Amino acid sequence: MGFTIGGIREMRPGSWRRGRTAGATAVAEYTGLRGWAVAPGARAVSGVCSCGDAACPAPGAHPLDFADEVPAGASLQAAADAWARVPGASMLLPVGRTFDVLDVAEAAGRRALARMERMGLPLGPVTVTPTGRTQFFVAPGAAAGLPGLLYRMGWDDADLDLRALGPGSHITAPPSDLAGLGPVRWLRAPVPDTAATPPQARLLLGTLAYICHRW
């Protein structure tokens, strides 16, 4: 099944081939080097989702229901073959397998990240989205355990702009576009030591909650 979004047909053939190769290489890096599966995702143009549903509740921010994931460990050739079947797709990472996500406002996340680095806390990858959110990769189980962790740390009654994403969620992977608003970027890029084994949420949650409460 084909997949196009507005503007792709106007691209020169050479530039499209280069774009497709770059996309396949990025997918292969995620699957082969990071150990993450990648799901082909919809794109949005002027608020209209490429999935074709005029009433789509998440334009440009959900997996394509007709496209298979590229599994963790896939080779460059396998990634290229898979991505050739979904030209124009964005890269989405399934949450709840290798990692969960702690999601906070960008300003608070940047401040918390700087403090964590000064404190020498273990850190995994961190992204920033064009919607003004920072996403900290943490060990799986954070979403299910967040209420209990906040309770034990004394933050359960606080009004915190902090949430956890777990199984069933997807996040947009850099450098893909999110909902037509711009690319997702790395604040802290993945490294081999932490990509597959991000830190436990409890190690970061105290600092994140404190900064979110003050911000």
Side-chain angles (χ1 to χ4, degrees), residues 41-45 47-51 56-63 90 92 172 177-181:
R43 301 290 288 270
V45 178
V48 178
C49 189
S50 61
C51 70
C56 178
H62 65 85
S90 63
L92 302 183
T172 301
D177 176 273
L178 173 60
L181 300 174

Side-chain angles (χ1 to χ4, degrees), residues 3-212:
F3 173 76
T4 59
I5 62 174
I8 286 182
R9 288 192 176 90
E10 286 72 35
M11 294 174 66
R12 291 187 305 232
S15 65
W16 171 232
R17 283 196 296 271
R18 288 193 295 273
R20 183 171 62 184
T21 300
T25 301
V27 172
E29 179 178 338
Y30 284 135
T31 60
L33 296 182
R34 312 302 179 202
W36 301 334
V38 178
R43 301 290 288 270
V45 178
S46 300
V48 178
C49 189
S50 61
C51 70
D53 182 356
C56 178
H62 65 85
L64 295 168
D65 57 9
F66 61 80
D68 294 330
E69 284 185 2
V70 184
S75 66
L76 176 59
Q77 186 60 56
D81 291 344
W83 229 244
R85 294 192 288 270
V86 285
S90 63
M91 295 180 291
L92 302 183
L93 303 178
V95 183
R97 302 179 190 176
T98 308
F99 60 86
D100 278 10
V101 167
L102 296 178
D103 177 285
V104 302
E106 180 179 349
R110 287 180 178 274
R111 186 176 182 126
L113 178 60
R115 177 172 291 203
M116 291 173 189
E117 289 175 336
R118 290 195 301 269
M119 295 169 64
L121 292 177
L123 292 165
V126 184
T127 65
V128 61
T129 76
T131 56
R133 309 296 295 181
T134 45
Q135 299 173 323
F136 290 75
F137 288 35
V138 292
L146 183 62
L149 284 171
L150 290 173
Y151 175 78
R152 288 193 293 275
M153 292 180 176
W155 291 108
D156 54 310
D157 290 331
D159 183 16
L160 302 176
D161 183 10
L162 186 159
R163 63 175 180 148
L165 306 179
S169 298
H170 290 77
I171 62 169
T172 301
S176 285
D177 176 273
L178 173 60
L181 300 174
V184 176
R185 296 177 287 110
W186 292 114
L187 278 184
R188 184 180 176 89
V191 296
D193 290 345
T194 60
T197 56
Q200 294 293 323
R202 60 180 174 78
L203 300 175
L204 312 185
L205 191 56
T207 301
L208 283 172
Y210 175 76
I211 296 296
C212 288

